[in-house]
Amino acid sequence: MDKTEIKEIVDLIKREVVPAIGCTEPIAVALCAARAAELLGMEPESITVQLSANILKNAMGVGIPGTGMIGLPIAVALGALIGRSEYGLEVLKDCSDEAVARGRAMIEAGKIKISLKENIAEKLYIEVEAQADGHRSKAVIASMHTNFVCLERDGEVLLDKGSSSEECVDDGHTVHLSLRKVYDFATTVPLDDISFILESARLNKAAAERSFEGDFGHGLGKTMRGNLEVGIMGDSVFSHILSYTSAACDARMGGAMVPVMSNSGSGNQGIAATLPVVIFAQERGKSEEELTRALILSHLTAIYIKQSLGRLSALCGCVVAATGSSCGITLLMGGGYEQISFAVKNMIANLTGMICDGAKPSCAMKLTSGVSTAVLSAMLAMEGKHVTSVEGIIDDDVDLCIRNLTLIGTRGMETTDRLVLEIMTGK
């Protein structure tokens, strides 16, 4: 692997593995509202928001950090009132009680209107128009959570990169990966080039520990550390992996004002790609280099799968991220490329089809299912056992297995995605 290719992959990881406060879909809407308000140059008197179905689905039931509130209206209000677009996915980090009170007042005054954007093919699409004192501004995000494709003020076009998925810039697709290339990169690249990934371990472990101290979401991670649960599940590396992973998700989905390291635009995917690997490495006495390489393998595997799956889909992201963590754990167990490919096949054979029904506190349960399967898949792989090509959607070629997974998650589950949204909006 030459220096140019190494740099391209490092840059890709740095683009896709970034800090985020709160669920990335409502936070991306807040970011778009912040930019629209900045263009307007004053506090908006009215805000109109139009969203793709997948953004709407993922933003309806999740807590907004620092507010004690759920859903999009407060995210939009705070983005417009105190958001700063230069913060990216940490756009609401300056949130205060006074700002929340102002946001509530804006909502109660009926200044915010949110609707589904009709006839849009792009799954990740956010359009915000703001008006005040006779002036109007518009900001559009598409394809990626921080990718502005259109900016306007009073009819003047300041930015226009197109709004269809074909026209949007998505740098994640410019680096062509395979599982072999992911493995070779993670295991051979100079350590100094990838040591930055350790920040994901620090941030996501801190989020879990914050959750243990508080009361967030359904409290799954905290519950798993209770006396009754320890008596049932034991006090083991496995139970610690589950409790830390679910706890970080509890905090994030419950609206804790704590950053997590995301992956491919999802904080939950970042958590699931990070914490199982971190806890396994720490409790098995692995070196910092071993942890670093395993984290890179986990995160880059998730990025690779998302390249063909897309950022938002009907397939739960924990399937993707837990597949990455299974690879990382297999590497820490002493496995090579063959065992890692076995782990991927085991994961795809098990979890394919788990639906995404929006971001919400119960995502912690799905992440726990995913990472428990990740550990089991790694254990089987280390015994030389894997699901074979005569079984279901598994192929002899591991990259074709991944492609089969993503085809099901895109083309195969389109109707499921529409039905899930219909059910959620019809309650």
Side-chain angles (χ1 to χ4, degrees):
M1 195 171 291
D2 60 33
K3 290 184 178 179
T4 299
E5 191 169 28
I6 289 173
K7 184 179 184 304
E8 288 177 347
I9 296 175
V10 167
D11 289 346
L12 171 64
I13 298 170
K14 288 182 175 180
R15 286 195 301 271
E16 300 289 9
V17 182
V18 297
I21 296 177
C23 176
T24 46
E25 278 71 56
I27 294 303
V29 177
L31 174 63
C32 200
R35 192 70 188 102
E38 289 167 355
L39 292 172
L40 193 64
M42 63 191 80
E43 182 175 316
E45 296 170 359
S46 67
I47 304 172
T48 302
V49 181
Q50 295 189 79
L51 306 171
S52 61
N54 286 78
I55 289 288
L56 191 63
K57 178 182 74 174
N58 274 7
M60 289 172 61
V62 69
I64 306 303
T67 69
M69 299 174 68
I70 290 174
L72 281 165
I74 190 63
V76 173
L78 289 175
L81 291 171
I82 55 93
R84 296 178 62 178
S85 63
E86 65 263 33
Y87 290 167
L89 294 179
E90 296 181 285
V91 63
L92 298 185
K93 69 180 181 180
D94 291 339
C95 181
S96 64
D97 291 344
E98 186 269 337
V100 173
R102 290 172 61 200
R104 285 179 182 272
M106 178 178 278
I107 296 167
E108 290 167 2
K111 294 183 177 181
I112 299 171
K113 292 181 172 58
I114 300 169
S115 63
L116 180 67
K117 178 75 173 181
E118 301 291 349
N119 302 316
I120 182 75
E122 175 59 57
K123 290 182 180 296
L124 197 166
Y125 182 89
I126 303 163
E127 180 180 316
V128 178
E129 287 194 11
Q131 297 183 56
D133 196 24
H135 296 283
R136 180 191 301 265
S137 65
K138 177 180 175 181
V140 177
I141 286 174
S143 183
M144 300 173 69
H145 290 78
T146 59
N147 184 45
F148 286 97
V149 298
C150 178
L151 299 173
E152 296 179 10
R153 188 179 192 277
D154 290 336
E156 179 185 0
V157 177
L158 306 174
L159 174 70
D160 184 7
K161 293 198 292 185
S163 59
S164 73
S165 57
E166 290 80 12
E167 294 170 314
C168 290
V169 177
D170 186 348
D171 292 332
H173 290 74
T174 63
V175 180
H176 299 287
L177 298 171
S178 66
L179 189 66
R180 180 85 226 192
K181 185 178 287 188
V182 168
Y183 172 79
D184 288 344
F185 177 86
T187 55
T188 65
V189 72
L191 194 61
D192 286 347
D193 290 343
I194 56 174
S195 59
F196 65 88
I197 202 67
L198 291 174
E199 181 66 4
S200 69
R202 186 189 70 80
L203 279 185
N204 292 350
K205 191 177 181 188
E209 290 169 347
R210 172 72 179 88
S211 185
F212 293 142
E213 297 168 359
D215 184 17
F216 300 101
H218 295 296
L220 179 59
K222 192 173 182 179
T223 296
M224 292 176 67
R225 290 163 66 92
N227 291 333
L228 176 61
E229 290 72 26
V230 170
I232 294 171
M233 298 186 62
D235 187 15
S236 65
V237 175
F238 182 62
S239 65
H240 298 166
I241 285 172
L242 300 186
S243 64
Y244 268 84
T245 304
S246 55
C249 183
D250 286 331
R252 178 174 177 266
M253 295 288 95
M257 184 61 81
V258 293
V260 301
M261 193 67 80
S262 66
N263 182 297
S264 303
S266 167
N268 282 350
Q269 286 172 194
I271 289 167
T274 302
L275 284 174
V277 177
V278 171
I279 300 306
F280 185 90
Q282 291 180 351
E283 300 209 9
R284 303 297 290 182
K286 300 298 180 179
S287 68
E288 185 174 280
E289 177 174 352
E290 288 174 308
L291 171 59
T292 299
R293 295 193 182 280
L295 282 172
I296 286 289
L297 177 62
S298 178
H299 278 282
L300 190 55
T301 298
I303 292 167
Y304 166 41
I305 298 173
K306 292 291 284 188
Q307 283 185 328
S308 55
L309 180 63
R311 292 181 181 275
L312 299 176
S313 74
L315 184 70
C316 177
C318 83
V319 175
V320 175
T323 300
S325 64
S326 188
C327 293
I329 290 170
T330 303
L331 184 67
L332 290 171
M333 287 179 172
Y337 176 73
E338 183 180 46
Q339 289 75 33
I340 286 165
S341 67
F342 289 172
V344 171
K345 292 179 181 181
N346 293 339
M347 289 294 294
I348 292 173
N350 193 330
L351 287 181
T352 298
M354 182 184 285
I355 66 166
C356 170
D357 54 343
K360 59 212 175 301
S362 61
C363 286
M365 299 170 71
K366 293 191 177 188
L367 258 67
T368 303
S369 297
V371 300
S372 63
T373 303
V375 176
L376 297 175
S377 295
M379 290 167 60
L380 279 175
M382 291 303 296
E383 293 294 328
K385 300 180 186 300
H386 65 94
V387 180
T388 66
S389 60
V390 300
E391 303 173 71
I393 63 170
I394 300 305
D395 195 282
D396 288 327
D397 185 329
V398 68
D399 292 297
L400 286 179
C401 292
I402 291 171
R403 183 58 177 161
N404 292 342
L405 167 71
T406 60
L407 280 172
I408 290 171
T410 51
R411 286 167 43 192
M413 297 178 72
E414 286 180 357
T415 301
T416 300
D417 215 17
R418 291 193 294 270
L419 181 58
V420 166
L421 183 66
E422 181 182 321
I423 291 170
M424 291 175 64
T425 55
K427 291 189 293 183

